[in-house]
Amino acid sequence: MQADQAAIASWIRGARAIVVLTGAGISTESGIPDFRGPNGVWTKNPAAEKTATLQHYVSDPEVRAQAWHNRVHGRYWDAEPNAGHRALADLERRAALDTLVTQNIDGLHHKAGSSPEKIVEIHGNVREVKCLSCAWRAPMEVALDRVRAGEVDPDCPECGGILKSATISFGENLVPADLARSQQAAARGDLFLAVGTTLTVYPAAGLPEYALANGARLVVLNAEPTPFDPAAGAVVREPLGEALPAIVGAV
Ligand SMILES: [Zn+2]
């Protein structure tokens, strides 16, 4: 084990309130594409970004048909958590995890066994479908079954409104309660782990600022440099599927 990983393990052991923020980097080893990175889906194919932009989704039935096709055939539905997700679930059993905030919509922290009450999915999730006009929500399978049965753009059974995965699209506001919960956790924690996130997409990227303002120690685990590296007590560049199990295993 490397010296910095041993140090991080000791910080985790000594912390009284750990806040973890995860981004796309933790799920790439599960085969889920990075959307915004240098080799990201949207970087290579800007048209694909339309399906995730609320304005296009609402105004263009063809964008919705494409989005439903993607949901039926996409990787989110059969992806499995990797060693990094499992290490974070393990962390909760070994140390004082306060909150696990994720920018990911893939639900893999749930699948890996992290406690649902500890998780804040700040960009929503793909496990549920929601109506954009009323409060109707249901498990995503309910809508996918209708698409598999031949509907190209299933509508809301309550009001006829447009249905969408319960994710936060571009142009859509975050859920205020989720954001507040994340900020409050960051502000009371004494150790903040930023995992697989470039820390450039706000407001999630602002969470380390709350932690640092409270005097918390910051650890960045990401393959690429982040704007917060100079403020971090340690920076880990190794693949998360190797580094996280090594660190958590030493707690
Ligand atoms: Zn509705």
Side-chain angles (χ1 to χ4, degrees):
M1 152 158 296
Q2 299 170 9
D4 59 344
Q5 294 185 358
I8 296 166
S10 74
W11 297 339
I12 291 173
R13 204 159 42 235
R16 61 170 172 72
I18 303 166
V19 177
V20 180
L21 170 67
T22 65
I26 196 169
S27 290
T28 49
E29 289 171 49
S30 289
I32 291 181
D34 174 19
F35 287 95
R36 290 180 240 230
N39 295 308
V41 174
W42 293 337
T43 312
K44 288 179 172 171
N45 178 13
E49 187 172 354
K50 278 192 174 184
T51 61
T53 302
L54 189 67
Q55 180 198 342
H56 293 298
Y57 190 88
V58 169
S59 63
D60 190 343
E62 286 184 22
V63 169
R64 293 200 293 279
Q66 182 63 49
W68 284 112
H69 176 88
N70 293 348
R71 286 175 195 131
V72 167
H73 299 284
R75 284 295 323 264
Y76 284 127
W77 313 104
D78 55 11
E80 293 297 329
N82 62 56
H85 296 104
R86 288 194 295 273
L88 289 180
D90 195 22
L91 171 73
E92 178 184 329
R93 292 184 281 270
R94 293 170 178 253
L97 178 70
D98 182 292
T99 303
L100 171 55
V101 183
T102 184
Q103 297 170 275
N104 300 334
I105 56 176
D106 51 42
L108 291 181
H109 289 303
H110 288 79
K111 258 190 177 176
S114 286
S115 299
E117 64 270 20
K118 299 267 190 196
I119 302 172
V120 180
E121 294 173 302
I122 201 160
H123 292 162
N125 71 76
V126 293
R127 297 184 310 279
E128 293 175 296
V129 58
K130 68 180 180 185
C131 175
L132 294 178
S133 301
C134 74
W136 186 84
R137 275 174 101 96
M140 178 54 85
E141 276 305 310
V142 170
L144 294 185
D145 283 345
R146 288 171 60 186
V147 177
R148 292 188 192 103
E151 292 184 55
V152 291
D153 181 20
D155 58 3
C156 175
E158 290 289 326
C159 77
I162 292 171
L163 297 185
K164 191 179 83 64
S165 65
T167 54
I168 308 296
S169 298
F170 290 108
E172 195 173 2
N173 292 326
L174 300 191
V175 177
D178 289 344
L179 181 59
R181 210 181 133 199
S182 303
Q183 291 169 338
Q184 286 158 9
R188 71 174 169 256
D190 60 346
L191 178 61
F192 191 102
L193 309 180
V195 180
T197 169
T198 56
L199 296 174
T200 53
V201 179
Y202 279 80
L207 294 176
E209 292 170 3
Y210 287 85
L212 291 168
N214 185 43
R217 200 189 304 261
L218 171 66
V219 174
V220 173
L221 303 97
N222 196 54
E224 305 292 330
T226 83
F228 285 90
D229 291 2
V235 177
V236 175
R237 297 263 183 256
E238 285 77 28
L240 298 173
E242 297 166 20
L244 280 172
I247 291 167
V248 174
V251 169

